[in-house]
Amino acid sequence: MATYVIGDTHGCLFTLKYLLEEKIGIKKSDSIYFLGDYIDRGIHSAQLVDYIISLIDGGYNIHPVRGNHEQMLLDSFTSKSAYRDWMLNTGKLTLNSYIEFLGKSFRFPKDIPESHLRFFNQLPYYIKIDKYILVHGALNFNAEDPFSDTLSMLWSRAEALPDDFLPKKVVIHGHTPVPLEEIKETVSSVNARLISLDGGCVYKGRFPGIGYLVALELNSKELFWVEKLPDDMNG
């Protein structure tokens, strides 16, 4: 039984499917954890969310955490200013993906499928497994209870862990794109306590060294990656 943690997907549906089904070859006995940001920036957000839900419904052990982009979508349900902020953060691409996915006139948020609404609303802010803490953004080490600061878990950029903060734990996060070679170097370090798995898949071609969807198998520390596939390219 393997345990995989996967970085930000941002609507890169075909890249994710290739990573899971071809590169890794996931089994129902495996556990797969996602670090948030399934929507926005890419062109297949609705389809990617539906794919993850289909894996859950199919009996796979899928455990997704909440990202700041899912939170922006949820906040947009009841706040016009939050909706404007979401649109400034490429929410329009997610709305376009729902129009394509549903094949009909789409009204937000009324026409979002009920299964997708449940998915977004039930996402936890973090997950603890064995010696690992999985979170999208970062933990606020200055807070009396870092796990109560949900804003930091969604939006903050991860920094080095203080030596006295849960010294036997390793934090794995997304949110901040990191070049693949840097991810490899961090994963290979036996003393690493802070690991980013956001390979910036959706940003392929925009910044050096990124453009990869990355998965880490926690038992073997084996790293898997797939460069963003042409079917996920804009245009």
Side-chain angles (χ1 to χ4, degrees):
M1 182 179 70
T3 301
Y4 300 95
V5 182
I6 298 173
D8 302 31
T9 51
H10 276 304
C12 293
L13 170 68
F14 293 96
T15 310
L16 175 61
K17 291 182 72 172
Y18 187 86
L19 175 66
L20 292 179
E21 298 175 14
E22 304 294 333
K23 192 80 172 184
I24 295 174
I26 58 169
K27 305 176 180 64
K28 290 185 177 179
S29 57
D30 297 333
S31 295
I32 298 107
Y33 293 82
F34 289 94
L35 296 174
D37 279 6
Y38 315 100
I39 63 171
D40 298 347
R41 306 209 184 283
I43 58 174
H44 297 123
S45 293
Q47 296 87 340
L48 187 144
V49 169
D50 204 66
Y51 173 65
I52 294 176
I53 292 171
S54 73
L55 291 176
I56 297 171
D57 291 344
Y60 287 89
N61 295 310
I62 307 295
H63 309 277
V65 301
R66 183 177 304 219
N68 59 305
H69 283 266
E70 288 76 54
Q71 190 62 53
M72 282 191 283
L73 179 148
L74 291 171
D75 291 344
S76 295
F77 291 172
T78 55
S79 167
K80 290 183 178 179
S81 63
Y83 180 83
R84 287 193 297 269
D85 289 342
W86 184 39
M87 290 300 103
L88 291 173
N89 281 278
T90 69
K92 182 65 174 177
L93 289 173
T94 294
L95 297 185
N96 289 343
S97 73
Y98 272 102
I99 293 171
E100 179 182 346
F101 175 62
L102 295 171
K104 64 177 184 180
S105 177
F106 175 76
R107 295 163 295 174
F108 176 82
K110 181 177 180 180
D111 290 335
I112 293 181
E114 187 64 35
S115 60
H116 290 213
L117 291 176
R118 285 196 303 271
F119 175 82
F120 294 129
N121 278 300
Q122 292 174 1
L123 292 171
Y125 291 97
Y126 68 94
I127 296 175
K128 294 180 181 179
I129 50 168
D130 301 325
K131 68 175 183 177
Y132 298 98
I133 299 169
L134 310 182
V135 63
H136 177 66
L139 298 174
N140 178 3
F141 306 117
N142 295 317
E144 182 175 349
D145 177 12
F147 298 103
S148 68
D149 187 348
T150 57
L151 194 64
S152 289
M153 285 188 271
L154 294 175
W155 285 97
S156 292
R157 304 292 178 182
E159 300 177 355
L161 272 67
D163 291 338
D164 59 352
F165 177 78
L166 299 176
K168 295 184 179 180
K169 296 290 186 180
V170 175
V171 174
I172 303 179
H173 68 92
H175 189 49
T176 303
V178 173
L180 179 61
E181 293 305 314
E182 186 176 329
I183 295 175
K184 291 180 183 179
E185 183 178 349
T186 303
V187 168
S188 66
S189 172
V190 295
N191 297 317
R193 296 191 56 223
L194 185 66
I195 300 173
S196 171
L197 291 183
D198 182 3
C201 181
V202 76
Y203 296 112
K204 179 182 176 181
R206 292 181 58 182
F207 304 102
I210 69 171
Y212 299 88
L213 189 57
V214 179
L216 175 63
E217 204 288 303
L218 295 184
N219 301 308
S220 66
K221 300 299 187 297
E222 184 175 1
L223 199 65
F224 299 82
W225 63 89
V226 174
E227 194 169 9
K228 184 180 179 182
L229 296 180
D231 284 343
D232 286 323
M233 299 293 186
N234 291 301

